[in-house]
Amino acid sequence: MLSRLMSSSIRSLDRECNCTVRLLDDSEYTCTIQRDAKGQYLFDLICHHLNLLEKDYFGIRYVDPDKQRHWLEFTKSIAKQMKSQPPFTMCLRVKFYPPDPAALKEEITRYLVFLQVKRDLYHGRLLCKTSDAALLAAYILQAEIGDYDPGKHPEGYSSKFQFFPKHSEKLERRIAEIHKTELIGQTPETSELNFLQKAQMLETYGVDPHPCKDVSGNPAFLAFTPFGFTVLQGNRRVHLLKWEEVTKLKFEAKTFHIYANQKEDKKIILTYFAPTPEACKHLWKCGVENQAFYKLEKSSQVRTVSSSNLFFKGSRFRYSGKVAKEVMEQSAKIKRDPPEIHRAGMVPSRSCPSITHGPRLTSVPRTRRRAVHISIMEGLESLRDSAHSTPVRSVSHGDSFMPSRSQTVDGSEASTSAVISDENYSPSDSVLPTPVAEHGMEMPLARHLNGAPCSIDEEESEAGTSKEGQATEFGHSRREQRMVKSRPKRRQEERNGWLCS
């Protein structure tokens, strides 16, 4: 009898696994789930924890053992998707950026989107000219520390913040000037909204970059935004295809094709090459989901698509969520008292630090509270700061990508080419997974090397940025939960795994 009970208990434990999800404020949500639990179950647990109703803009991201990033599919088993042994480590991120953040119904949703875009700014995904960078950083200052107070904010206080991959003293002075004189009296809610409204006007708003090469071998970054498919090379956006213009997305091995019809029946076929077949498939699936979300009127119009021109060949995939217009309609029906928001305040994020204590350092001594992890690309080292760490001025080691002419079927240059900054778009570190150390692992700290330059030189870009195109407007079974808890800080004994920036 005792052996049968012990055997039953062991089988029960085998059917369960621990799962940790890093949230947008870098707090952690940990729970125990059944091994056959689907992604929707975990996502609903997180949304319930956050008191989030407008949840369709968000997703759960993870990295497989081959260091390839993925979005967790909610209709499939979590354990089968992870391809690794538990405990599982994932991240909550914005998957579909709202075309107009001001149209979001609830402040809690805007706050989470604000945290994501702030993270994009820090990692170099949101590229902008100096004047825009200074204003965005000033909004973050106002949201986090409130009005300027000479008694609390000494000379050079803005230098204690890390908003971008790299800074200049002139930019820091401009940030402080805007914060002192132009934003007095703004509440955190107002500053966050102003930040989002400014960010959505930038060419790289909503960009989740996929590194590729064009047919000439030139490096490029492909991305899907609320406004369409975009290609960034050097400091230019060389292509912007609106979602209504995109007709097909195909891939074979490492080759990705996008078909589009522009005005006057002008047909375009763009071809790019991903680093690996797995990366190409991920790129294709992201494109299929974004096209369905932003282009379709209702989810009943979603169809299963094939990666090949022959339907019986290649991969097949179907987007399973709501579309943007349905999400907006559902949000309009929300009627409840606004949930309380617990803002991070003065505590900096580990992967996206803000306010700190003490001057910036060019090198950091060994400490028990932080660890350095070796990156997977060309020895790049990434520093993940603890809750009280001082952000380190980043040094760009990214390749200098030269702008190249966009190619169409007739060989003419696309009319959508636009200069987005004085610097090349190269968020190489932001597309790498962050390694999570083994238990008890301690390593000497090194300088934070980030290959993601941001356009924050002392000279402002004279090129304007114009937004093209308009976006379309924007329940399940529960298993018994054994244990759920949220931890505001990572414990020193970290788990094996990978995280996304």
Side-chain angles (χ1 to χ4, degrees):
M1 176 65 72
L2 181 59
S3 62
R4 286 200 301 269
L5 289 175
M6 292 179 63
S7 177
S8 176
S9 177
I10 292 174
R11 286 197 301 270
S12 178
L13 291 174
D14 288 342
R15 290 195 298 267
E16 297 173 348
C17 56
N18 293 328
C19 184
T20 298
V21 180
R22 176 77 66 84
L23 305 180
L24 282 160
D25 63 356
D26 277 336
S27 64
E28 291 180 347
Y29 179 86
T30 300
C31 62
T32 298
I33 61 174
Q34 299 291 324
R35 272 190 172 271
D36 59 350
K38 294 184 178 181
Q40 187 70 57
Y41 173 71
L42 176 62
F43 184 64
D44 287 341
L45 287 180
I46 296 169
C47 293
H48 178 74
H49 168 73
L50 295 172
N51 207 356
L52 177 65
L53 294 183
E54 295 175 290
K55 56 188 180 182
D56 297 276
Y57 298 106
F58 302 86
I60 298 176
R61 188 166 237 162
Y62 69 95
V63 182
D64 67 21
D66 296 322
K67 319 301 183 296
Q68 173 61 49
R69 301 193 304 171
H70 301 273
W71 288 106
L72 189 70
E73 294 186 43
F74 294 162
T75 59
K76 297 182 179 180
S77 165
I78 297 173
K80 290 182 179 179
Q81 293 183 70
M82 296 299 290
K83 300 178 183 178
S84 61
Q85 294 300 314
F88 300 137
T89 306
M90 292 170 271
C91 295
L92 179 74
R93 295 292 181 260
V94 172
K95 186 175 183 180
F96 303 112
Y97 287 72
D100 181 9
L104 296 171
K105 182 67 177 290
E106 296 201 304
E107 184 187 331
I108 179 66
T109 316
R110 279 193 296 274
Y111 176 63
L112 293 176
V113 175
F114 163 78
L115 292 178
Q116 175 69 68
V117 180
K118 173 186 167 186
R119 182 182 297 271
D120 294 342
L121 188 67
Y122 174 76
H123 284 287
R125 292 184 290 263
L126 183 67
L127 195 66
C128 53
K129 60 182 181 179
T130 308
S131 58
D132 293 329
L135 182 58
L136 290 171
Y139 282 137
I140 296 175
L141 267 183
Q142 183 69 21
E144 294 196 356
I145 67 174
D147 291 344
Y148 168 72
D149 184 344
K152 296 179 181 179
H153 308 137
E155 186 70 23
Y157 70 101
S158 63
S159 66
K160 299 178 182 179
F161 291 74
Q162 184 81 26
F163 304 106
F164 317 102
K166 63 178 183 179
H167 281 224
S168 70
E169 292 184 3
K170 183 176 181 179
L171 176 65
E172 291 167 357
R173 291 194 298 269
R174 179 56 182 156
I175 294 170
E177 179 184 346
I178 296 174
H179 177 236
K180 291 177 183 179
T181 60
E182 300 181 22
L183 306 182
I184 297 175
Q186 283 193 15
T187 63
E189 298 85 352
T190 302
S191 295
E192 290 160 5
L193 178 57
N194 289 336
F195 173 90
L196 290 174
Q197 289 179 320
K198 180 63 178 178
Q200 71 156 352
M201 299 171 63
L202 302 175
E203 302 290 348
T204 49
Y205 169 73
V207 164
D208 181 22
H210 297 258
C212 294
K213 290 186 177 181
D214 64 15
V215 292
S216 300
N218 299 312
F221 288 96
L222 278 57
F224 309 102
T225 75
F227 312 100
F229 168 79
T230 186
V231 180
L232 304 170
Q233 285 186 297
N235 65 345
R236 292 178 178 271
R237 185 203 64 205
V238 297
H239 279 293
L240 173 62
L241 299 177
K242 302 174 186 178
W243 285 122
E244 56 266 27
E245 297 173 342
V246 176
T247 57
K248 288 188 295 185
L249 300 171
K250 303 292 182 183
F251 87 94
E252 183 177 357
K254 297 191 292 183
T255 306
F256 177 75
H257 305 282
I258 182 165
Y259 299 76
N261 291 330
Q262 292 190 314
K263 56 185 178 180
E264 300 177 355
D265 296 327
K266 182 179 179 181
K267 294 185 178 181
I268 291 180
I269 303 175
L270 300 177
T271 300
Y272 291 90
F273 303 97
T276 65
E278 292 75 17
C280 196
K281 184 176 182 178
H282 175 61
L283 170 65
W284 172 71
K285 290 173 71 174
C286 288
V288 170
E289 290 188 311
N290 277 270
Q291 184 181 23
F293 184 83
Y294 293 113
K295 182 178 181 178
L296 300 182
E297 293 288 320
K298 48 188 177 180
S299 55
S300 60
Q301 296 175 332
V302 176
R303 297 290 182 266
T304 300
V305 296
S306 172
S307 64
S308 171
N309 287 321
L310 300 176
F311 189 76
F312 56 86
K313 292 183 62 178
S315 300
R316 299 175 66 183
F317 180 68
R318 180 187 177 93
Y319 172 60
S320 60
K322 297 184 179 69
V323 300
K325 188 173 182 180
E326 291 174 334
V327 173
M328 291 295 294
E329 292 172 351
Q330 182 174 315
S331 297
K333 300 176 182 178
I334 296 177
K335 295 181 180 179
R336 65 169 180 174
D337 293 332
E340 184 179 359
I341 300 176
H342 301 282
R343 287 178 168 82
M346 301 288 286
V347 180
S349 158
R350 284 177 293 275
S351 60
C352 186
S354 290
I355 190 72
T356 60
H357 311 282
R360 291 189 314 276
L361 304 178
T362 55
S363 62
V364 187
R366 176 187 290 269
T367 173
R368 296 187 61 188
R369 295 184 59 85
R370 295 186 288 184
V372 169
H373 312 288
I374 304 303
S375 173
I376 63 173
M377 180 185 290
E378 300 176 352
L380 185 70
E381 295 179 340
S382 293
L383 171 67
R384 191 170 62 247
D385 295 296
S386 70
H388 297 285
S389 62
T390 301
V392 182
R393 184 188 292 274
S394 301
V395 179
S396 173
H397 284 248
D399 292 334
S400 179
F401 294 168
M402 297 300 295
S404 63
R405 294 175 62 87
S406 56
Q407 298 181 352
T408 62
V409 174
D410 59 3
S412 62
E413 185 174 9
S415 60
T416 55
S417 179
V419 176
I420 56 177
S421 78
D422 284 337
E423 294 207 10
N424 292 330
Y425 188 81
S426 180
S428 58
D429 193 38
S430 73
V431 299
L432 297 176
T434 303
V436 177
E438 296 179 357
H439 292 275
M441 178 180 180
E442 290 187 6
M443 300 174 62
L445 286 171
R447 191 166 180 173
H448 183 190
L449 303 180
N450 191 328
C454 185
S455 172
I456 50 177
D457 275 351
E458 295 192 6
E459 294 295 327
E460 276 191 27
S461 169
E462 296 180 357
T465 55
S466 60
K467 183 67 68 178
E468 296 186 28
Q470 296 292 332
T472 307
E473 284 191 358
F474 270 54
H476 31 79
S477 62
R478 294 177 60 92
R479 299 179 184 275
E480 181 179 358
Q481 182 184 2
R482 293 291 298 270
M483 180 270 291
V484 176
K485 62 180 179 179
S486 176
R487 296 180 300 176
K489 299 177 183 177
R490 174 184 298 277
R491 61 189 177 189
Q492 293 181 10
E493 302 84 5
E494 294 178 304
R495 297 166 303 282
N496 290 323
W498 297 83
L499 293 173
C500 294
S501 62

